[in-house]
């Protein structure tokens, strides 16, 4: 039986009298990458905020590793968040910390590792994202793509079980976007993480996702594998698929076979 890492059970989320998500139910399975797509304002980032505990559903339950997190206290959330890594749309690096200090931040906050152990982990994570020996640089000195890679190194420093990506390729050129996609795939393979990718970038979806969930008009309009999504006739989904450009033969084969 497939292990469920994240489950939404009849989740409704509202802000005042405006309902963003209505009666959402879906599961994310251990080791898979689920891409969440949809037009702007349909609640994609709200899904991430519910998972990481920045929001609590108005109705329904969010279960993470079998635990109903809707009643969690802050100390319980802090413990659970150590099993999660998040890559933010705009990197969200601390400008007043060096690159190395940014990557080490969670390790210093949540572990009792020695300075030498932390330095070794930071060096390893930066090397994994193709930025070795950059510990003493400052975020202001980095390009957008480099900041995204540092964000990924920081997110994986604690070796989380769950990775959350909020528009990781936004604002990047096609070559750097492909590099980020490759890093997402490598992270999944190396760390066997369960991932949720929120994005408008269909090239990224087709490159990294195992399944796709389309949010539209507060609800799940479609969910399925890449092949199932390709064959789904929902008009919004078809518009998203038409945005794909410059696919490699391998990526194209995923949705055309």
């Amino acid at each position: 039986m497939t292990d469920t890492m994240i489950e939404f059970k009849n989740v409704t989320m509202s802000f005042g009298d405006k309902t963003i998500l209505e009666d959402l139910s879906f599961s994310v399975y251990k080791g898979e990458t689920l891409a969440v797509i949809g037009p702007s304002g349909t609640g994609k980032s709200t899904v991430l905020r519910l998972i990481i505990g920045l929001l609590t559903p108005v109705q329904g339950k969010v279960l993470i590793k079998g635990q109903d997190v809707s009643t969690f206290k802050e100390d319980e959330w802090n413990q659970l968040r150590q099993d999660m890594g998040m890559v933010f749309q705009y990197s969200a690096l601390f400008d007043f910390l060096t690159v190395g200090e940014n990557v080490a931040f969670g390790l210093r906050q949540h572990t009792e590792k020695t300075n030498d152990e932390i330095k070794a982990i930071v060096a390893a994570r930066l090397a994994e994202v193709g930025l070795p020996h950059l510990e003493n640089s400052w975020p202001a000195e980095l390009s957008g793509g480099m900041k995204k890679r540092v964000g990924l190194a920081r997110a994986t420093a604690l070796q989380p079980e769950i990775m959350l990506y909020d528009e990781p390729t936004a604002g990047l050129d096609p070559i750097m976007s492909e590099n980020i996609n490759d890093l997402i795939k490598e992270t999944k393979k190396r760390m066997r993480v369960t991932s949720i990718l929120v994005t408008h970038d269909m090239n990224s979806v087709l490159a990294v996702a195992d399944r796709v969930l389309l949010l539209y008009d507060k609800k799940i309009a479609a969910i399925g594998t890449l092949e199932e999504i390709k064959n789904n006739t929902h008009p919004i989904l078809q518009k998203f698929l038409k945005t794909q450009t410059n696919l490699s033969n391998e990526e194209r084969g995923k949705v055309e076979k």
Side-chain angles (χ1 to χ4, degrees):
M1 184 175 179
T2 304
D3 292 330
T4 299
M5 288 293 282
I6 300 168
E7 186 174 6
F8 276 46
K9 287 188 172 182
N10 307 110
V11 169
T12 293
M13 189 68 217
S14 301
F15 299 101
D17 59 358
K18 184 177 182 180
T19 299
I20 305 298
L21 302 172
E22 186 175 347
D23 199 30
L24 248 64
S25 294
F26 67 92
S27 298
V28 188
Y29 304 115
K30 186 174 183 179
E32 82 164 338
T33 299
L34 177 72
V36 180
I37 64 173
S40 298
T42 52
K44 301 184 298 299
S45 293
T46 300
V47 168
L48 295 184
R49 294 188 182 102
L50 287 164
I51 292 169
I52 209 165
L54 298 179
L55 295 173
T56 302
V58 174
Q59 294 179 1
K61 295 180 179 181
V62 177
L63 282 74
I64 301 176
K65 297 198 294 184
Q67 302 177 86
D68 179 1
V69 299
S70 59
T71 60
F72 267 26
K73 303 288 192 297
E74 192 59 27
D75 58 338
E76 294 174 294
W77 268 115
N78 286 336
Q79 185 66 35
L80 181 59
R81 286 179 188 132
Q82 293 179 46
D83 292 330
M84 300 183 190
M86 184 157 181
V87 177
F88 297 89
Q89 180 173 353
Y90 299 109
S91 305
L93 300 180
F94 299 115
D95 289 337
F96 56 89
L97 298 179
T98 65
V99 166
E101 289 166 341
N102 265 280
V103 178
F105 187 81
L107 293 165
R108 297 197 186 280
Q109 291 286 313
H110 300 298
T111 76
E112 297 180 0
K113 295 184 182 297
T114 66
N115 281 336
D116 285 346
E117 288 173 326
I118 289 174
K119 285 180 180 178
I121 293 170
V122 169
R125 293 293 173 265
L126 286 173
E128 286 165 359
V129 299
L131 298 173
H133 315 305
L134 213 67
E135 288 90 337
N136 295 322
S137 297
W138 294 92
E141 299 170 342
L142 307 181
S143 67
M146 293 169 77
K147 288 179 181 178
K148 292 281 179 79
R149 286 188 277 168
V150 173
L152 179 56
R154 182 179 62 183
T156 57
L158 286 167
Q159 293 191 299
E161 295 181 72
I162 296 168
M163 283 293 296
L164 306 174
Y165 299 94
D166 189 5
E167 298 282 3
T169 60
L172 301 181
D173 63 65
I175 293 174
M176 183 52 64
S177 294
E178 187 174 344
N179 289 341
I180 295 296
N181 292 336
D182 288 342
L183 287 171
I184 292 172
K185 289 187 287 186
E186 289 166 12
T187 300
K188 173 185 173 179
K189 182 178 180 180
R190 183 177 66 250
M191 302 181 68
R192 300 180 180 179
V193 292
T194 303
S195 307
I196 295 185
L197 168 71
V198 164
T199 186
H200 288 98
D201 182 353
M202 285 306 295
N203 289 332
S204 185
V205 170
L206 298 172
V208 308
D210 298 302
R211 289 191 301 142
V212 182
L213 184 156
L214 170 67
L215 285 176
Y216 184 67
D217 194 22
K218 309 171 191 174
K219 298 179 181 291
I220 296 173
I223 186 169
T225 64
L226 294 176
E227 289 79 9
E228 289 167 342
I229 289 296
K230 165 64 166 55
N231 294 317
N232 191 303
T233 58
H234 193 288
I236 298 298
L237 186 55
Q238 288 299 314
K239 285 183 180 179
F240 268 88
L241 286 167
K242 287 176 182 176
T243 66
Q244 68 190 83
T245 58
N246 300 322
L247 293 179
S248 70
N249 291 333
E250 179 185 355
E251 290 166 345
R252 195 178 301 281
K254 287 182 179 179
V255 293
E256 291 186 354
K257 65 182 179 182

